[in-house]
Structures are given as C-alpha cells and as structure tokens.
Amino acid sequence: MGIAPAADWEHDLASVLLTEEQIQARVAEMAAELADEYRDKHPLLIGVLKGSIVFLSDLMRRLCFPLEIDLVCCSSYGHSSESSGEVRLRLDLSKELAGRHVLLVEDIVDTGLTLSRLCDLLRERQPASLKVCCLLSKPSRREVDMQPDYVGFEIPDEFVVGYGLDYAERYRWLPHVAVVKPEAYR
Ligand code: 5GP
C-alpha cells in the first residue's frame, strides 16, 4: 500500500494556514464577544456574498439571541487575485437599515477598499450603528483607513482559499483555510 496520490486540486495549495478546529474555536470566541454587544439589540447581520456565507452561517448559529440576516453582493475580483478598487452593488439588501443595529459580516479584509466603500453606501441609509466583523484580515495590505471592529485572525500577505473563500469559484468548500501557491494564479 503506497501513499495515495494528491488530487489535481491539491497541487494548487501550498499549506493549511488555519485548521477547521482553530476556525471553529475562534468563531465561538467571536460569538461570545458579539453577544455582549448585540444580545438586546435585535441586530441585522449582513453577509457579503459570496465569501462570507460559511462564516455567517457558523457565526449566527452560535448567537443564541434574536437577530435577522440579509445579504449584499459587491463586484468581486472575478478570476484575478488583485482588487480593482472599484465597488459596485450587484445585489442590494431586502431590508431597511434606518434605526437598525447593523453588523457587516465579511470573509476577509485585504486593501480595505471594498468594505470602506460598502460602509459609506450603508451609512447613507442611517442605521443606528454600523460595525464590521471579518474572519480574516491582512493588515499589511491596507490601502485605506479601515479597521474592522471584530477580527477572527490577522494573516500575512498571501492569497488564501477555503471556508467560503474561493479562487475562480474553486475551494470554497474546504473546511479549513489554505494558502494558494503563487504559481497557481500567476
Ligand atoms: P479588499 O477590497 O479589502 O482589497 O478585498 C476584499 C475582497 O477581496 C474579499 O471580500 C475577497 O473577496 C477578496 N480577497 C482579498 N484577499 C483574498 C484572499 O486572500 N483570498 C480570497 N479568496 N479572496 C480575497
């Protein structure tokens, strides 16, 4: 019996950055922090499609108090690994924000351009409060002053996939976060 050969897709991945256990433990900690702030506020959690769906669904199942969810979709990187800096709403919210306590749930903050622009757009709708919760942050890549209020993990400047994050729509299903080999996307 030899070692099973790596599947084709595995050749694109360099290493596991965060294991499923690390992610689940941190999500539980973040949920506890969020409960302190939002338990009595009936918050509206807004997931940014598509990357945040796994994080949002794990997070909200650990928040054992009344809340609502909604989803927005911004223009994405498409098949590139670089941000265009241009942010367009491709799917708008179905709920009114005025007077609501809003928590924006994002997979990763890189340059900060997407969230900074999205927060500007949402603030115009006059929520009672607007905060940002992200699973991953790459502080060394920031191009605008965007400091998320809740951060799961600060990570180095590497392109990652898994736990909802994709590269050209692949790898979202991985239960962990992995680093993509640069030669796979260059
Ligand atoms: P920003 O506008 O902060 O530069 O980019 C935010 C968006 O870029 C994220 O929502 C995500 O879609 C994408 N992004 C940034 N870094 C990564 C990464 O390392 N991996 C993946 N899959 N997407 C990323």
Side-chain angles (χ1 to χ4, degrees):
M1 279 241 307
I3 297 170
D8 275 355
W9 58 268
E10 287 176 305
H11 293 297
D12 287 346
L13 306 180
S15 58
V16 173
L17 185 66
L18 298 166
T19 65
E20 184 176 0
E21 292 72 25
Q22 284 174 306
I23 295 169
Q24 293 302 328
R26 184 69 187 116
V27 171
E29 283 174 3
M30 295 176 87
E33 283 176 54
L34 289 167
D36 286 345
E37 176 155 4
Y38 289 105
R39 185 176 286 111
D40 302 316
K41 292 186 175 166
H42 197 98
L44 177 64
L45 271 57
I46 299 179
V48 185
L49 290 173
K50 302 176 192 171
S52 74
I53 57 165
V54 181
F55 179 40
L56 175 65
S57 51
D58 278 350
L59 190 64
M60 71 180 180
R61 282 179 294 173
R62 291 179 183 274
L63 295 175
C64 297
F65 53 82
L67 57 84
E68 292 175 40
I69 65 160
D70 206 343
L71 298 164
V72 279
C73 187
C74 300
S75 48
S76 75
Y77 288 11
H79 285 232
S80 153
S81 63
E82 287 297 316
S83 179
S84 65
E86 220 183 279
V87 175
R88 286 178 295 124
L89 274 191
R90 295 198 301 187
L91 171 75
D92 205 338
L93 298 165
S94 62
K95 295 187 184 297
E96 297 293 322
L97 298 195
R100 301 292 310 263
H101 291 283
V102 173
L103 182 68
L104 210 44
V105 179
E106 176 64 302
D107 52 359
I108 185 164
V109 185
D110 184 33
T111 62
L113 288 163
T114 308
L115 271 185
S116 141
R117 182 77 189 102
L118 186 55
C119 284
D120 288 346
L121 288 174
L122 298 186
R123 264 189 218 102
E124 288 171 11
R125 303 181 190 187
Q126 303 184 317
S129 68
L130 176 63
K131 291 198 173 180
V132 172
C133 172
C134 66
L135 180 74
L136 307 174
S137 173
K138 295 183 198 169
S140 65
R141 293 262 306 162
R142 214 67 97 240
E143 289 179 19
V144 289
D145 183 19
M146 158 52 64
Q147 179 51 49
D149 302 278
Y150 297 90
V151 177
F153 300 92
E154 292 198 339
I155 64 168
D157 177 12
E158 289 181 297
F159 195 76
V160 295
V161 290
Y163 197 70
L165 289 127
D166 75 312
Y167 174 60
E169 293 300 329
R170 296 153 74 193
Y171 311 115
R172 288 193 201 279
W173 51 272
L174 291 172
H176 53 266
V177 170
V179 177
V180 180
K181 288 179 186 165
E183 58 266 33
Y185 55 82
R186 266 188 203 131

